[in-house]
Amino acid sequence: MEARVFEIINTVLSNRSKPKISSLKSEMDLRNDLGMDSLDLAELTVRIEAEYDVDIFEDGIVRTVGEVLKKI
Amino acid sequence: MNIVITGVSKGLGLYLCKILLEKSYNVFGISRSKTIELEDLMSMYPDSFKWLNYNLNNTDNIRQDIFKNWIGFDIPIHGLVNNAATAYDDIITNLDIDSLEQMFTVNVFASMILTKFAIRHMLLHNIKGSIVHISSISVHTGYKGLSMYAATKGALEAFSKNVAREWGEIGIRSNCLVAGFMETEMSSTLTNEQKNRIYNRTALKKSVEINSVAETIEFLISQKSNSITGQNINVDSGTI
């Protein structure tokens, strides 16, 4: 699952022409470390939702990779 | 191109389906009732026209029933036409809150939720899609008895402009088609005298042709309008 989330995050980053990440750490902050803005987070949400049927932002703000993984 | 259209059982929605199907679009049509005309269209285009019986009063199941179970996350959506609307017309001193809330639910809230999930669908497939909301000239020119209806359409226009700003950098567009009075069921409660008064306020002095409205919607949905977003396009016989 972690490997798949890693792929999804890099898909979102490359769709917006942002630098991909080489490894995934649970303490990484989606905005500050990965450089995602609100529109990137929206795309991340729908890509995760399509695979895991979970809306990661449905009940509150998710800040880190670890928090995303916990929701799935 | 796959287009979702609401309110397809009659009037403009039905006509728009016909135009788009003729132009080889795939249409996902939604309505709460099935008319003979709709059935005819379904049998003419069994492959490219899909229909769902859904009442947009029910805003809770839009994601599940429409986007997940019916369209499916594998099918890309290129356009959404928020056409479904109910008309509760009365002078404001007679305002009934239940009727008003019901109209806002269908005309405004359902349209907003459909937009939410259409954009999410577009993000999933990297589609630079187009959303068209059907508004009304009553937003811009006052008519007795239409204040509440006009308020729902004014809300949609404000929503559309801000959605356009929000999603423009992704390439997703949002526009309003501001329709004047057409000879459809929506305006069937008006008397001939009322209609003539309305038509006399237009440059062309006549009702708006449904074909002109539908062709303009097709233009806004298509890539021919790629540089147009956040706009209100009037098709109203020149109400000036």
Side-chain angles (χ1 to χ4, degrees):
Chain A
M1 182 181 75
E2 244 184 88
R4 186 65 194 125
V5 171
F6 174 63
E7 270 177 56
I8 292 173
I9 285 174
N10 270 335
T11 301
V12 173
L13 291 171
S14 67
N15 278 345
R16 300 289 303 286
S17 309
K18 291 180 178 178
K20 290 189 186 184
I21 52 169
S22 54
S23 65
L24 194 65
K25 297 190 187 77
S26 67
E27 65 271 19
M28 280 177 161
D29 188 289
L30 299 169
R31 283 179 183 267
N32 297 333
D33 296 326
L34 304 187
M36 289 186 159
D37 64 15
S38 57
L39 303 191
D40 299 324
L41 293 174
E43 184 177 335
L44 178 68
T45 304
V46 298
R47 290 192 182 281
I48 288 176
E49 185 181 43
E51 293 208 19
Y52 300 100
D53 210 22
V54 176
D55 182 341
I56 53 172
F57 280 97
E58 198 167 44
D59 48 6
I61 299 292
V62 171
R63 282 178 30 254
T64 65
V65 169
E67 287 168 13
V68 171
L69 293 171
K70 215 186 290 175
K71 293 257 179 174
I72 303 175
Chain B
M1 297 237 290
N2 301 320
I3 312 297
V4 179
I5 308 174
T6 63
V8 298
S9 64
K10 54 200 173 188
L12 175 63
L14 180 71
Y15 192 87
L16 178 63
C17 287
K18 189 169 158 275
I19 294 264
L20 293 186
L21 290 163
E22 281 169 6
K23 294 178 195 270
S24 302
Y25 286 85
N26 293 312
V27 173
F28 290 85
I30 299 165
S31 62
R32 64 186 160 168
S33 60
K34 195 193 235 179
T35 55
I36 294 163
E37 294 88 343
L38 181 60
E39 276 181 28
D40 287 348
L41 206 54
M42 286 165 70
S43 58
M44 273 174 75
Y45 297 95
D47 298 324
S48 53
F49 189 26
K50 308 267 187 302
W51 176 74
L52 179 71
N53 178 9
Y54 190 89
N55 189 336
L56 290 168
N57 248 333
N58 174 2
T59 51
D60 289 340
N61 296 334
I62 287 178
R63 175 182 178 269
Q64 184 78 12
D65 290 359
I66 297 177
F67 289 89
K68 190 177 177 204
N69 295 345
W70 181 52
I71 299 170
F73 290 137
D74 294 341
I75 307 280
I77 295 172
H78 303 87
L80 165 69
V81 182
N82 277 319
N83 168 70
T86 60
Y88 160 51
D89 302 337
D90 210 334
I91 58 171
I92 203 65
T93 42
N94 291 336
L95 183 158
D96 171 66
I97 188 64
D98 289 340
S99 304
L100 184 60
E101 280 179 354
Q102 198 172 320
M103 179 167 65
F104 264 87
T105 298
V106 173
N107 296 14
V108 183
F109 301 144
S111 296
M112 292 169 83
I113 293 167
L114 284 156
T115 303
K116 167 184 174 174
F117 290 113
I119 291 178
R120 289 171 80 124
H121 226 90
M122 289 167 188
L123 288 176
L124 189 59
H125 293 277
N126 295 329
I127 303 282
K128 294 176 174 20
S130 173
I131 299 159
V132 180
H133 311 273
I134 308 306
S135 184
S136 159
I137 189 60
S138 60
V139 174
H140 306 275
T141 309
Y143 299 90
K144 180 179 163 191
L146 294 191
S147 61
M148 294 181 281
Y149 175 77
T152 67
K153 295 301 189 179
L156 264 191
E157 289 192 11
F159 174 67
S160 172
K161 194 168 284 281
N162 285 270
V163 165
R165 184 73 181 189
E166 194 168 284
W167 293 95
E169 64 182 283
I170 306 282
I172 296 172
R173 301 181 294 115
S174 174
N175 291 289
C176 282
L177 186 296
V178 185
F181 284 84
M182 292 170 276
E183 293 280 359
T184 62
E185 204 180 297
M186 192 67 97
S187 54
S188 63
T189 53
L190 298 172
T191 64
N192 277 339
E193 193 201 333
Q194 284 173 313
K195 283 183 186 171
N196 286 333
R197 239 190 353 248
I198 288 166
Y199 301 151
N200 278 333
R201 288 168 72 170
T202 67
L204 296 175
K205 305 277 184 230
K206 59 181 188 182
S207 66
V208 170
E209 290 175 18
I210 193 166
N211 183 57
S212 188
V213 176
E215 289 284 355
T216 310
I217 296 168
E218 193 270 325
F219 169 73
L220 290 173
I221 278 294
S222 76
Q223 294 178 350
K224 288 176 275 191
S225 59
N226 264 355
S227 295
I228 302 175
T229 191
Q231 302 304 308
N232 299 329
I233 308 296
N234 286 48
V235 182
D236 60 0
S237 290
T239 306
I240 45 181

